[in-house]
Amino acid sequence: LSSPSLLNTVAMSTKSSHSPAPGKKGGSDGGKADESLMATIMSLIKKYDRLLNERPLLTKAATSGTIFGLGDILSQLIAPKPGTGGQFSLRSTFAYSAFGFFISGPLIHAFYRQLDRALPKDSDQQFVALKRTLIDRLLLAPPYLLLLYYSVPLFEGRSLAFAHAKVKDSFLDVLKMNVKIWSLFQFININYVPQKYRVLFMCGLSLLWNIYVAIKRR
């Protein structure tokens, strides 16, 4: 996977999907609308890709903050959080967005850059893919979850004692679930997704997971 191949694949699929069939005239209003939409999508993808190259840290932080906030919004719409009386909590959405922007995006960006320098994917070491995954699972996952558990309540304006109580109550169970469910996805992310897309990949999966958990909670 690479940036050029991603863009070329989208471009080729767009071109083929809008090519008129033999013997038929193209250029219908519906076809023009579809072409305009796809052109807009392609333009946004190219701009995002350029920003990843020019301002990687800021772009990944914004990506993480946006997706974390969106995940909280969808989660609340599907199943309101306990203790809110069914009311939408802007404070919760702000807290998750702040965690994504200030902590998650920059942390993942820096960690994967260092990982690729210390143990490149194309290294001739044996079991390099497995080693890279174990480093992620052992060195990143536990502190990342601790940061999530402590920072989100603090961003919500709650006390450190409240955050500490949540850590004591459920951190180990969540860490076990994280290792059990996310290790395969992280193996794919670390070893097959280009470095600049890993924050997007990880956040996209987290969004789907939040939706799933919200549906189960409802």
Side-chain angles (χ1 to χ4, degrees), residues 139-205:
L139 298 185
L140 178 63
Y144 179 89
L145 289 175
L146 279 175
L147 285 170
L148 175 66
Y149 263 85
Y150 275 108
S151 61
V152 169
L154 294 177
F155 281 131
E156 288 180 318
R158 301 181 186 272
S159 67
L160 186 61
F162 177 88
H164 186 63
K166 286 188 69 69
V167 170
K168 289 181 65 177
D169 181 60
S170 57
F171 172 74
L172 288 179
D173 289 336
V174 171
L175 179 60
K176 291 176 183 177
M177 182 179 66
N178 180 280
V179 172
K180 181 179 179 181
I181 294 176
W182 287 100
S183 292
L184 174 61
F185 295 115
Q186 284 301 90
F187 178 85
I188 296 170
N189 189 24
I190 295 167
N191 296 298
Y192 297 102
V193 176
Q195 184 190 116
K196 65 179 179 179
Y197 296 125
R198 289 177 197 161
V199 170
L200 178 62
F201 182 86
M202 185 174 176
C203 289
L205 289 177

Side-chain angles (χ1 to χ4, degrees), residues 104-137:
S104 179
L107 174 62
I108 297 172
H109 165 74
F111 182 85
Y112 288 149
R113 286 187 66 183
Q114 293 302 317
L115 177 63
D116 283 356
R117 290 173 181 173
L119 191 60
K121 290 189 296 183
D122 56 359
S123 170
D124 57 2
Q125 293 188 34
Q126 287 187 322
F127 309 112
V128 63
L130 180 59
K131 290 177 181 178
R132 286 165 57 86
T133 305
L134 287 174
I135 291 173
D136 171 90
R137 299 286 76 202

Side-chain angles (χ1 to χ4, degrees), residues 47-134:
K47 288 179 180 178
Y48 180 74
D49 199 69
R50 186 178 70 248
L51 287 172
L52 282 172
N53 292 324
E54 296 175 353
R55 298 182 178 180
L57 177 59
L58 179 60
T59 303
K60 292 173 186 178
T63 298
S64 183
T66 300
I67 296 179
F68 266 87
L70 177 61
D72 183 73
I73 291 172
L74 293 176
S75 177
Q76 291 194 62
L77 291 176
I78 295 170
K81 294 180 180 294
T84 63
Q87 298 297 314
F88 187 85
S89 173
L90 286 175
R91 182 177 295 182
S92 174
T93 301
F94 166 78
Y96 278 97
S97 294
F99 171 78
F101 184 86
F102 292 108
I103 299 177
S104 179
L107 174 62
I108 297 172
H109 165 74
F111 182 85
Y112 288 149
R113 286 187 66 183
Q114 293 302 317
L115 177 63
D116 283 356
R117 290 173 181 173
L119 191 60
K121 290 189 296 183
D122 56 359
S123 170
D124 57 2
Q125 293 188 34
Q126 287 187 322
F127 309 112
V128 63
L130 180 59
K131 290 177 181 178
R132 286 165 57 86
T133 305
L134 287 174

